[in-house]
Amino acid sequence: MSTTSPHRERPKRTARPAAKALANPGAGRSAGPATAGSARHSQRWLAWIFLAPTILGMGLFTLIPIVASVVLAFFRWDIISAPTFVGFDNFSEVVQDPTVRVSFLNTILFVVVAVAFQLGLALALAIMVQEKMPAWLRVFFRSAFFFPLILSAASVSIFMRYLFNEQFGVVNWFLSLAGIPAVPWLTTPGGSAAVVILVYVWQNFGFSFLLFIGGLASIPVETYEAASIDGATGWRKHLYVTLPLLSPTTLVASVMAIISALQVFDQPYVLTRGGPGDSTRTAVMVIFESAFQRLEFGQASAIGVLLTLIIMAITAAQFRLSKRFVFYQ
Amino acid sequence: MTGATNGHLREITRRTALGALGAGIIGATVASWPRLSGTDIPGRGDNSLSIAIMGTAADAAARQRAIDAFTRLHPEIKVKVQAIQAVDWKDFFTKILTMVAAGTPPDVVYVATEGAQLFAEKLAHPLDEYVRRDAADMREFFDDVHPSLVEAFMYKGSLYQLPMDWNAANMYYNTTAFAQAGLERPADDWTHVDFRNRLAAMRKARTSDFTPYYWTNRLFGGVVPWLYANDTSFLKETRSTGGEWLWDGFYANDPSRSLRSGGYQWLEPNANDDRVFESFDYLRGLVKDGLGVRPEEGGGSSLVGLFASNRIGTTPAGGYWVQGLHEAGMGANDFDVQFFPRWKTQRHQFGTAGYAIMKTAKDKDAAWEWIKFSSSREAMELIFPNPITTPARRSMVNEQLYAGKGPAHWKVFYDTLDRFPTTGPIPAPPQQAAVETALMKNVSLAVSGDERQLKQALSSMQRDLELALRRQS
């Protein structure tokens, strides 16, 4: 298509005075086409200058590492010797590795349980705080529930280790008061998985809680009043009014919670180191172990690529499903 | 300028042409630039000798005194020590490897047994030529250091490090807990059965809020000392040939000369050995009967506090524990140490550490001067003024070091090597990280369930170790 086509020309004619006005307010219509072109030109440069730091940062720290790690997945590299091209060998080794398979299964299981728990808890508490609490208590609980999120996950996991210690932990001490024998929280597969989920949810549900608080505040009171007139009370009001109108918030909260849970690392690494056995080993832990402990950077990249594809597929599926289940006011 | 595109003429503007030119210049510059690394950052690439150690700011004073003494001796060598904080040695090596990946490797690294073969295989420069050259100066050092420690740093006939400090897995016991159970100090040659009986006595005396035997799930002090005592290990241990230049040159008259080799090798898994099963079964019995804890992976951080508050009866540890217990408020007679119990043998496990010169070191001669200085008595006294570890020099493990802090039987520390010369290092092949993970992840399961679960855990360990050892080294 020629650049002189009327379709391309039309916006130029309207844009020039606007651009000129922005670049040189008060200049009016007296300036000729050359001045207007120059103003548009300098405005574009200005835009690029303002965008440059972000573009540069994203290029250097996001785009290049992504491309590099995809490329690296096709090489064997121990960071000491020169990399060797191995084609799809890393991918086939990774797929056959039982530890990798178990860690991906663990991660999926973790996501299902932790996200359900996290969203359910956040929603229940948000409804309770928003509806049942006086304003001053609402402020307190909003801060209190968000507080764990600003703590370092490693520090939280370290003190949780003490709390859940089988012999000397406070949790078992409280249980002993009720006559319950000491639970081997961190040394049995079931116990350690439960603790990892519990610690993760405790630290992360505050974010979903805040999203739900925002979502609940945006639901018009009139809708509830109309529902009451129609005879809806108690949980039926929430089922037929709150949940449908909260669905856009639920979509955002679930997408963010799932992406974050798929990348879980700190809590299982500090609490259990992935054990006992492989019971709490996650996909990101295997990436870390492959790269920085076994020096198999190619394999680590291959696992990273697979995890990225899974995250993309799940997120795409969520948005596709959202067309059926999300209602906008 | 015009060009044909899909049958249409397309105009290339001056701006597009200039943009393309600019992109081309940037691309060509990036492509032709040698690999950009951390040393390209202004101020990073000076000529000082960069030394990486595992440590914190808390150790800075002793470290600075040693640096000052070295600088007086070698004013021409500028030294820069980087203390890197890490949870354990595996974590420390990960950080060093990250520095290597970033293009800023240190010149000298303090490496423990856990990483000795990884460094020897991939990163370190052998010390043979320097030790031979300065044999006259080095003789006094080797005379004072047990050959077992030196052998731990031999790899395929070459020496890669000089041992600076070390620790064996001896058995610490709480004297208050022993007294409450009416127990005396055990004999030097006590057995694993005696040990179990003592745990049972302590359990009987204190039924709650107390653990007779606390142990951790890691490569040092976990299950391995029991395997060594039972004359086995989870990896098959062999030795390399070579190293005669060192043994004949410095240890020709040592009674254990005939035992020495070109270094340890761990090439095959051994988790399906009957004695490995027997050792795990023994520990499983301790857990089942409430005499020992189920070990957590990576656990042990709360150990000093628990032991100092009299809630633990016994635990395996080395000389590095003394200062910690002292600072936690334990008196010199509140605890003591004994050799690890005998089973088939009384072979102990030890770990040692020393400086390695990196292959990439800019000035290897300067690096060697630092190592030689650090191995001197003067430097070691500056670096180890307190019993935070066991110095490699026998003459420094003396009454003065433990005065007022205990334990009463501190001689046990160095006697472990002198009385049991077959005492061996932590099994750590070049694939140590993968091997350690393979061991650790199966230990808890092995000692927590029934006999069937133990067998399953050991076969899983065997399979994981096979995979770990097959990985590129």
Side-chain angles (χ1 to χ4, degrees):
Chain A
M1 188 187 289
S2 165
T3 52
T4 53
S5 135
H7 300 291
R8 297 286 299 272
E9 201 59 39
R10 199 173 294 131
K12 280 185 184 173
R13 280 178 188 156
T14 53
R16 272 178 190 165
K20 188 179 67 180
L22 277 170
N24 189 11
R29 287 176 170 268
S30 57
T35 318
S38 156
R40 188 170 53 113
H41 180 72
S42 62
Q43 197 190 24
R44 277 192 182 173
W45 273 109
L46 202 64
W48 280 113
I49 288 168
F50 278 118
L51 286 171
T54 309
I55 292 172
L56 196 70
M58 283 186 70
L60 274 176
F61 300 112
T62 308
L63 196 65
I64 293 177
I66 288 173
V67 174
S69 75
V70 172
V71 172
L72 198 56
F74 296 93
F75 285 83
R76 195 175 296 283
W77 189 46
D78 64 359
I79 70 167
I80 297 157
S81 337
T84 324
F85 182 74
V86 291
F88 283 92
D89 282 7
N90 285 330
F91 288 95
S92 63
E93 280 170 24
V94 157
V95 170
Q96 286 167 29
D97 189 331
T99 307
V100 175
R101 283 205 301 267
V102 168
S103 69
F104 270 83
L105 279 175
N106 286 344
T107 308
I108 301 289
L109 200 67
F110 173 82
V111 169
V112 171
V113 179
V115 171
F117 194 16
Q118 178 180 335
L119 294 184
L121 185 70
L123 180 60
L125 288 172
I127 291 173
M128 219 146 67
V129 167
Q130 194 71 1
E131 287 190 357
K132 312 280 182 197
M133 304 278 174
W136 66 274
L137 253 185
R138 243 183 265 167
V139 174
F140 168 76
F141 277 111
R142 276 180 209 165
S143 314
F145 291 149
F146 191 74
F147 181 69
L149 198 67
I150 61 170
L151 300 174
S152 138
S155 315
V156 166
S157 305
I158 287 170
F159 76 69
M160 289 291 182
R161 260 185 94 120
Y162 286 101
L163 296 188
F164 285 99
N165 183 287
E166 184 182 350
Q167 281 75 35
F168 311 107
V170 176
V171 175
N172 275 352
W173 180 77
F174 275 115
L175 292 178
S176 74
L177 296 180
I180 300 170
V183 179
W185 292 109
L186 296 170
T187 48
T188 52
S192 54
V195 172
V196 168
I197 289 171
L198 209 67
V199 172
Y200 178 86
V201 170
W202 177 79
Q203 200 175 6
N204 288 279
F205 86 93
F207 185 70
S208 311
F209 168 81
L210 275 196
L211 289 179
F212 283 129
I213 286 278
L216 287 170
S218 69
I219 297 175
V221 184
E222 294 80 11
T223 320
Y224 286 111
E225 288 169 355
S228 299
I229 292 165
D230 287 345
T233 51
W235 68 272
R236 292 176 72 87
K237 242 187 340 190
H238 290 306
L239 191 65
Y240 295 114
V241 178
T242 311
L243 286 184
L245 291 181
L246 211 54
S247 55
T249 313
T250 311
L251 174 70
V252 173
S254 65
V255 167
M256 295 182 86
I258 288 174
I259 290 175
S260 162
L262 279 165
Q263 298 174 68
V264 63
F265 173 79
D266 315 47
Q267 289 87 358
Y269 184 74
V270 178
L271 281 164
T272 63
R273 297 281 162 122
D278 285 322
S279 59
T280 52
R281 203 169 304 278
T282 64
V284 178
M285 274 182 79
V286 178
I287 294 175
F288 172 78
E289 287 168 357
S290 300
F292 291 101
Q293 293 182 350
R294 297 204 307 259
L295 301 183
E296 288 168 347
F297 279 76
Q299 277 195 13
S301 292
I303 303 169
V305 168
L306 291 179
L307 183 64
T308 309
L309 290 176
I310 288 175
I311 292 176
M312 284 167 72
I314 291 175
T315 310
Q318 273 184 288
F319 277 104
R320 205 168 177 79
L321 283 172
S322 73
K323 287 177 186 163
R324 287 188 190 178
F325 302 109
V326 176
F327 307 97
Y328 295 94
Q329 290 174 56
Chain B
M1 195 187 284
T2 57
T5 311
N6 296 332
H8 296 280
L9 285 177
R10 185 176 173 187
E11 187 184 340
I12 296 177
T13 63
R14 191 178 56 175
R15 189 180 302 131
T16 311
L18 282 171
L21 184 68
I25 291 169
I26 293 169
T29 311
V30 169
S32 60
W33 197 299
R35 190 180 158 220
L36 201 63
S37 71
T39 48
D40 295 310
I41 298 168
R44 287 262 185 101
D46 64 5
N47 287 323
S48 30
L49 184 71
S50 150
I51 299 161
I53 59 165
M54 184 160 92
T56 64
D59 321 317
R63 206 158 51 230
Q64 192 54 49
R65 280 195 293 274
I67 294 169
D68 292 344
F70 178 73
T71 311
R72 278 194 296 276
L73 206 63
H74 296 281
E76 75 285 2
I77 303 172
K78 199 174 153 195
V79 172
K80 188 171 68 184
V81 175
Q82 293 171 273
I84 295 168
Q85 288 201 44
V87 178
D88 52 26
W89 284 105
K90 193 160 78 168
D91 191 30
F92 173 73
F93 300 142
T94 300
K95 290 179 177 179
I96 295 294
L97 291 167
T98 312
M99 291 168 80
V100 173
T104 53
D107 298 315
V108 178
V109 183
Y110 200 69
V111 180
T113 322
E114 286 90 331
Q117 295 206 350
L118 167 70
F119 275 72
E121 178 75 25
K122 288 176 179 283
L123 298 160
H125 181 80
L127 304 180
D128 304 7
E129 54 180 308
Y130 294 112
V131 173
R132 280 194 176 110
R133 190 191 72 190
D134 295 343
D137 296 337
M138 296 311 299
R139 192 162 303 284
E140 183 268 338
F141 171 79
F142 287 116
D143 283 349
D144 204 13
V145 173
H146 196 278
S148 290
L149 302 179
V150 179
E151 192 180 9
F153 288 142
M154 292 289 282
Y155 185 64
K156 296 180 180 171
S158 285
L159 182 68
Y160 283 85
Q161 295 165 248
L162 296 181
M164 292 278 294
D165 72 305
W166 71 285
N167 289 284
N170 296 122
M171 191 64 78
Y172 275 69
Y173 63 91
N174 187 308
T175 49
T176 310
F178 263 42
Q180 282 171 346
L183 299 170
E184 297 285 323
R185 175 179 169 76
D188 288 358
D189 60 348
W190 61 330
T191 66
H192 67 296
V193 178
D194 299 333
F195 178 72
R196 196 184 195 290
N197 292 340
R198 281 169 186 272
L199 300 185
M202 281 190 280
R203 169 52 75 219
K204 203 174 165 187
R206 281 180 67 178
T207 50
S208 64
D209 200 24
F210 177 77
T211 297
Y213 179 56
Y214 195 103
W215 59 300
T216 49
N217 184 8
R218 54 186 185 196
L219 214 43
F220 178 81
V223 73
V224 180
W226 291 107
L227 297 174
Y228 276 18
N230 202 14
D231 201 20
T232 186
S233 181
F234 66 100
L235 296 175
K236 281 182 186 155
E237 184 183 292
T238 54
R239 309 280 184 102
S240 299
T241 53
E244 285 79 13
W245 65 273
L246 180 90
W247 306 122
D248 293 338
F250 297 100
Y251 290 99
N253 300 321
D254 190 273
S256 67
R257 163 65 187 93
S258 60
L259 298 171
R260 304 302 157 196
S261 67
Y264 288 84
Q265 281 187 312
W266 298 278
L267 305 172
E268 287 176 62
N270 194 42
N272 55 8
D273 180 55
D274 287 346
R275 283 190 194 161
V276 172
F277 176 85
E278 190 182 21
S279 313
F280 271 96
D281 200 33
Y282 172 79
L283 290 168
R284 189 176 69 88
L286 297 186
V287 173
K288 193 173 144 221
D289 296 340
L291 304 178
V293 292
R294 248 186 284 247
E296 289 174 23
E297 290 191 21
S301 49
S302 53
L303 197 49
V304 170
L306 293 172
F307 190 88
S309 56
N310 298 327
R311 293 159 84 183
I312 289 175
T314 58
T315 192
Y320 60 88
W321 235 37
V322 175
Q323 185 68 18
L325 292 180
H326 173 68
E327 286 168 8
M330 284 203 109
N333 295 315
D334 293 340
F335 68 99
D336 210 340
V337 66
Q338 181 52 291
F339 297 117
F340 207 79
R342 164 180 287 278
W343 199 328
K344 297 274 186 310
T345 72
Q346 207 164 1
R347 185 189 197 212
H348 284 61
Q349 179 198 27
F350 73 84
T352 178
Y355 289 107
I357 301 176
M358 297 287 273
K359 275 180 193 165
T360 49
K362 297 175 288 290
D363 186 348
K364 294 189 176 64
D365 290 346
W368 165 249
E369 289 305 329
W370 170 261
I371 293 179
K372 198 167 76 169
F373 167 76
S374 300
S375 66
S376 68
R377 173 94 189 224
E378 178 200 1
M380 285 174 73
E381 279 177 347
L382 288 171
I383 294 167
F384 307 126
N386 293 312
I388 49 168
T389 183
T390 316
R393 285 174 169 272
R394 188 185 282 104
S395 61
M396 284 176 64
V397 184
N398 53 32
E399 196 153 5
Q400 190 191 337
L401 187 65
Y402 300 100
K405 294 175 182 172
H409 295 85
W410 53 266
K411 281 187 179 166
V412 161
F413 295 134
Y414 220 101
D415 281 353
T416 303
L417 294 176
D418 288 334
R419 289 179 55 176
F420 309 105
T422 58
T423 285
I426 296 166
Q431 310 89 330
Q432 176 267 337
V435 164
E436 187 176 351
T437 303
L439 171 77
M440 281 171 60
K441 75 184 214 184
N442 291 297
V443 167
S444 283
L445 291 176
V447 301
S448 301
D450 55 14
E451 196 177 308
R452 197 168 138 265
Q453 184 171 315
L454 167 59
K455 281 180 181 160
Q456 279 173 350
L458 290 181
S459 12
S460 163
M461 188 188 295
Q462 179 77 4
R463 192 189 57 235
D464 291 339
L465 288 169
E466 270 167 18
L467 274 172
L469 291 167
R470 214 190 301 154
R471 290 183 192 280
Q472 56 175 336
S473 59

